Amino acid sequence: MRPSGRAPDQLRDIRLQTDVNKHAEGSCLACFGDTHVLCTASVEENIPPWLRNSGRGWVTAEYGMLPRSTGTRTDREAARGKQSGRTQEIQRLIGRSLRAVTDLTGFGERQVRIDCDVIQADGGTRTAAITGGYVALHLAFQHLLDIGVLEALPFTDQVAAVSCGLYNGTEVLDLDYDEDSTAAADANFVLTKTGGVVEVQGTAEDVPFQRRQFERLLDLAEKGVAELCAAQSKALAEATT
């Protein structure tokens, strides 16, 4: 039995609330159970110097956890004077994941920054950030389309992410903190709607896990991402009607 009482292949309650920030071109509050991540997309009329005159745009991300997003207060990284290695790794993952499904030649020499701020953490903050970040990015491009700057949305696919792991000898989908902190193995899967693999991060916390177990985790991830993509599409449809 999982601590939450969920079935092994059951996601947490998923909520993708759009337009939660009136200033950003796109925004989404991504809730995976008790993990809440605010994702905003800001369109800038500039690009990194190395992309100038290339006809290509750029999508990048920043990630951070608010001081009381966890059980005990954590100092802001700005107060420490530098970002942790974990923060840098996660925000690079978010950026790579979103660029994987974006046609960078399709929105001119502009940059879209995705800010992912963890309001409350209960496991899977990076997967929630990627899933919500896609929705925020989609809404930002939709804004550019609505004002006549773009002729079409520059997406090649849809992307979402979910965690899976081995908990008490069973492969389970979408780990919360209670499961993640004691799992024998855990993995984050970033997949596209059409079945493409963007990135897989997997670690054995105890003894090495077997290929058949990994394949079962991938099966669970594909099921979970299909459900997350459906939730993204539903949220976007409601936001644009």
Side-chain angles (χ1 to χ4, degrees):
M1 179 66 71
R2 304 178 70 175
S4 63
R6 288 181 287 143
D9 64 347
Q10 184 179 355
L11 291 170
R12 288 175 282 184
D13 291 334
I14 302 298
R15 181 164 58 92
L16 301 174
Q17 182 180 350
T18 59
D19 298 324
V20 293
N21 183 306
K22 72 176 184 179
H23 299 295
E25 284 78 13
S27 61
C28 175
L29 178 63
C31 300
F32 282 35
D34 286 334
T35 288
H36 301 169
V37 183
L38 174 62
C39 306
T40 57
S42 302
V43 179
E44 301 176 350
E45 295 295 323
N46 57 68
I47 53 174
W50 50 272
L51 276 175
R52 288 174 187 163
N53 302 317
S54 68
R56 294 162 58 88
W58 192 244
V59 176
T60 188
E62 294 188 15
Y63 167 95
M65 297 183 68
L66 298 186
R68 276 318 301 266
S69 60
T70 55
T72 57
R73 186 185 186 279
T74 303
D75 289 341
R76 298 178 190 273
E77 291 186 325
R80 301 177 196 163
K82 67 175 184 178
Q83 291 181 318
S84 69
R86 176 183 180 275
T87 293
Q88 294 180 55
E89 182 264 324
I90 290 176
Q91 60 191 27
R92 288 168 182 162
L93 170 65
I94 298 167
R96 287 195 303 272
S97 300
L98 297 177
R99 290 193 297 272
V101 296
T102 303
D103 176 7
L104 297 178
T105 66
F107 55 103
E109 292 192 5
R110 297 180 177 86
Q111 179 168 245
V112 185
R113 291 183 186 267
I114 309 296
D115 288 293
C116 300
D117 294 293
V118 179
I119 299 171
Q120 183 171 280
D122 187 39
T125 60
R126 72 186 68 195
T127 58
I130 292 167
T131 303
Y134 171 82
V135 174
L137 179 61
H138 192 290
L139 290 171
F141 284 142
Q142 183 65 52
H143 169 74
L144 295 180
L145 185 68
D146 292 342
I147 64 175
V149 173
L150 300 183
E151 296 183 355
L153 295 174
F155 286 114
T156 59
D157 208 334
Q158 192 169 332
V159 69
V162 72
S163 64
C164 299
L166 298 174
Y167 178 75
N168 285 345
T170 301
E171 297 86 358
V172 297
L173 174 67
D174 191 19
L175 283 71
D176 57 27
Y177 178 77
D178 286 340
E179 295 169 332
D180 185 48
S181 61
T182 59
D186 63 87
N188 297 301
F189 293 86
V190 185
L191 308 175
T192 69
K193 182 178 180 180
T194 59
V197 177
V198 177
E199 190 153 341
V200 179
Q201 301 175 327
T203 305
E205 302 293 348
D206 186 11
V207 297
F209 56 98
Q210 304 301 310
R211 176 172 178 167
R212 61 175 178 78
Q213 293 173 310
F214 174 79
E215 290 173 349
R216 175 58 180 157
L217 294 178
L218 178 57
D219 289 341
L220 286 173
E222 289 178 337
K223 177 183 182 296
V225 165
E227 294 176 13
L228 291 171
C229 285
Q232 288 173 329
S233 297
K234 182 175 183 292
L236 288 167
E238 292 174 351
T240 55
T241 55

